[in-house]
Amino acid sequence: MDQEDRIALFLDYENLALGARDHRGGAAFDFRPIADALAERGRVVVRRAYADWSYFDEDRRMLTRSHVELIEIPQRMGASRKNAADIKMAVDAIELAFERDYISTFVICSGDSDFTPLVHKLRELNKRVIGVGVEGSTSGLLPPACDEFLYYDRLEGVDIPPARGRRARPTTRQAGVEQRPPEPEQEQDRRPQEAEPDRDVDALAVLVAQSVAGLQGSANGEVTASRLKRTLLRKDPTFSESDYGFRTFGELLRHLAERNVIELAEGPAKGDPEVSLPEHGDREVAFGLLRGVVAELGSGGNPVALSGLKNQVRRARPDFSEKKLGYRSFLQFCKAAATAGVLDLRWSPEADDYLLTTNP
């Protein structure tokens, strides 16, 4: 138990409930998916929700069954009521950060950018901060400030709202018309497009390869799967392997290893493999491709300028990407090829460019 993260959960309930209602087709907010997601990350020792509960009578019962402490914010007019809840929540979080040293993680459930200074202060106090918000009502300023950000809409157990249907349904009900045959077909046609924003696995392969290369270059020990996951979350707090169709991060790594983007080896702990970039395989093939293109363009031993060379390489192999091999630029890739003795690379002041020639 001592190895578990102790989590304090703070819910800006009005922001979550209204965000779910307005951006999820009128669907009611459900606390259970958030509770399940946090249970996977540690032991939740504090659960507090802030609202004027006279507006959320049914929700109050649901939260009470989940052992959430309800903090009453008396009814006020307009923005003053909102500000009262935000200030009370921020003060309680900071107070808890100082009084409870054993709490290592704070979860701020809100999409309001007003909580960004609170997030910064908690991180200054060496606390890990996880944000949770409804995707359509979350400010773009809040997720990058957190160590990890979970979109409520993407959590396991959250039902997918009827796509586009909520715009048509009120019109149908008001008109008293029961059948509109084209709508179900339109909905079916549109749903794949809405589900399609699943992120590109090729772009993910580039991100992973670059991250592994950077971690290896920092010379701070082996790169484990857990360390890599933390790095990816620091680069993009909204990162989740489920967005790419994988159930676990290990399954994602195995997929990339099968594509020869990375290599996996037994790590210091069970279930936490060591991750590295392939020393051979695709890199050697890419070096050979580069050498072949330079030899063809510079027939007769003529040097080939670096400018425009990448386009020539892609003509020979359209799926070429130096970033998949862990190189941040095409120049860095060419320098690595020169270091490996595949070709010569030198700077030419006359040409104001790097020139490449093949070795005899």
Side-chain angles (χ1 to χ4, degrees):
M1 182 179 291
D2 288 339
Q3 302 302 319
E4 291 182 318
D5 280 343
R6 265 66 165 191
I7 299 174
L9 170 64
F10 292 84
L11 295 100
D12 177 11
Y13 196 77
E14 184 171 343
N15 180 277
L16 289 175
L18 297 184
R21 182 201 305 168
D22 295 343
H23 297 278
R24 307 196 70 256
F29 175 77
D30 186 2
F31 174 70
R32 285 173 298 176
I34 294 179
D36 292 343
L38 297 183
E40 297 167 357
R41 289 163 171 77
R43 181 175 169 225
V44 181
V45 296
V46 174
R47 301 183 183 192
R48 295 179 185 173
Y50 298 75
D52 182 343
W53 296 108
S54 62
Y55 288 92
F56 304 103
D57 192 50
E58 290 299 321
D59 305 58
R60 180 171 56 188
R61 295 186 181 91
M62 177 261 295
L63 292 170
T64 301
R65 286 194 294 268
S66 299
H67 311 288
V68 177
E69 181 184 359
L70 306 182
I71 308 300
E72 179 73 36
I73 304 299
Q75 183 176 2
R76 293 183 174 86
M77 296 299 293
S80 63
R81 176 164 56 86
K82 171 188 176 297
N83 291 339
D86 292 358
I87 293 171
K88 173 64 174 169
M89 185 167 147
V91 169
D92 286 357
I94 292 297
E95 182 181 36
L96 208 64
F98 281 105
E99 290 185 350
R100 305 286 189 269
D101 290 339
Y102 57 82
I103 295 179
S104 57
T105 301
F106 282 75
V107 179
I108 307 299
C109 294
S110 177
D112 194 339
S113 61
D114 289 350
F115 287 106
T116 304
L118 171 63
V119 172
H120 289 316
K121 180 56 66 176
L122 289 171
R123 295 185 69 183
E124 278 183 34
L125 296 172
N126 198 29
K127 306 297 183 182
R128 185 167 184 261
V129 181
I130 300 174
V132 181
V134 177
E135 193 161 7
S137 63
T138 295
S139 166
L141 298 175
L142 189 59
C146 301
D147 293 295
E148 182 179 4
F149 196 91
L150 306 175
Y151 285 115
Y152 170 78
D153 319 58
R154 303 180 189 177
L155 294 179
E156 187 71 27
V158 176
D159 295 330
I160 299 175
R164 312 267 184 181
R166 61 177 172 169
R167 293 183 181 175
R169 283 177 188 166
T171 306
T172 304
R173 287 173 184 168
Q174 291 168 5
V177 179
E178 293 190 7
Q179 78 274 8
R180 287 181 67 176
E183 280 211 357
E185 295 177 7
Q186 290 173 2
E187 221 173 291
Q188 289 175 3
D189 291 340
R190 287 169 177 170
R191 277 190 185 180
Q193 294 178 357
E194 292 191 351
E196 245 173 82
D198 280 348
R199 304 182 187 181
D200 185 7
V201 177
D202 287 336
L204 174 64
V206 170
L207 177 63
V208 170
Q210 287 182 328
S211 300
V212 173
L215 290 170
Q216 286 180 330
S218 65
N220 288 328
E222 68 276 357
V223 180
T224 60
S226 58
R227 185 182 175 195
L228 175 60
K229 176 72 177 284
R230 290 194 297 271
T231 300
L232 294 175
L233 283 171
R234 283 194 290 269
K235 290 184 174 183
D236 178 9
T238 67
F239 169 80
S240 173
E241 59 273 3
S242 63
D243 290 340
Y244 300 89
F246 300 98
R247 295 169 296 177
T248 65
F249 190 62
E251 183 178 327
L252 165 61
L253 293 181
R254 288 191 293 273
H255 173 77
L256 295 179
E258 289 171 0
R259 294 179 56 186
N260 207 31
V261 176
I262 58 172
E263 289 182 348
L264 298 177
E266 187 175 349
K270 185 177 180 181
D272 193 14
E274 184 176 343
V275 186
S276 60
L277 294 176
E279 291 297 328
H280 303 288
D282 277 3
R283 191 186 71 164
E284 300 304 320
V285 172
F287 283 170
L289 172 67
L290 176 64
R291 189 182 192 283
V293 171
V294 171
E296 182 179 350
L297 294 175
S299 55
N302 295 319
V304 176
L306 180 68
S307 300
L309 180 58
K310 184 175 179 178
N311 290 334
Q312 298 297 326
V313 172
R314 279 187 167 167
R315 286 182 183 176
R317 183 176 167 182
D319 65 340
F320 170 81
S321 172
E322 73 281 357
K323 292 182 173 61
K324 288 184 181 179
L325 303 171
Y327 299 103
R328 298 185 181 277
S329 66
F330 186 66
L331 173 59
Q332 186 184 34
F333 169 70
C334 292
K335 286 181 177 179
T339 301
V342 176
L343 41 73
D344 287 328
L345 175 70
R346 63 180 177 84
W347 172 258
S348 171
E350 295 81 9
D352 193 28
D353 200 354
Y354 284 96
L355 299 179
L356 297 90
T357 53
T358 55
N359 293 322

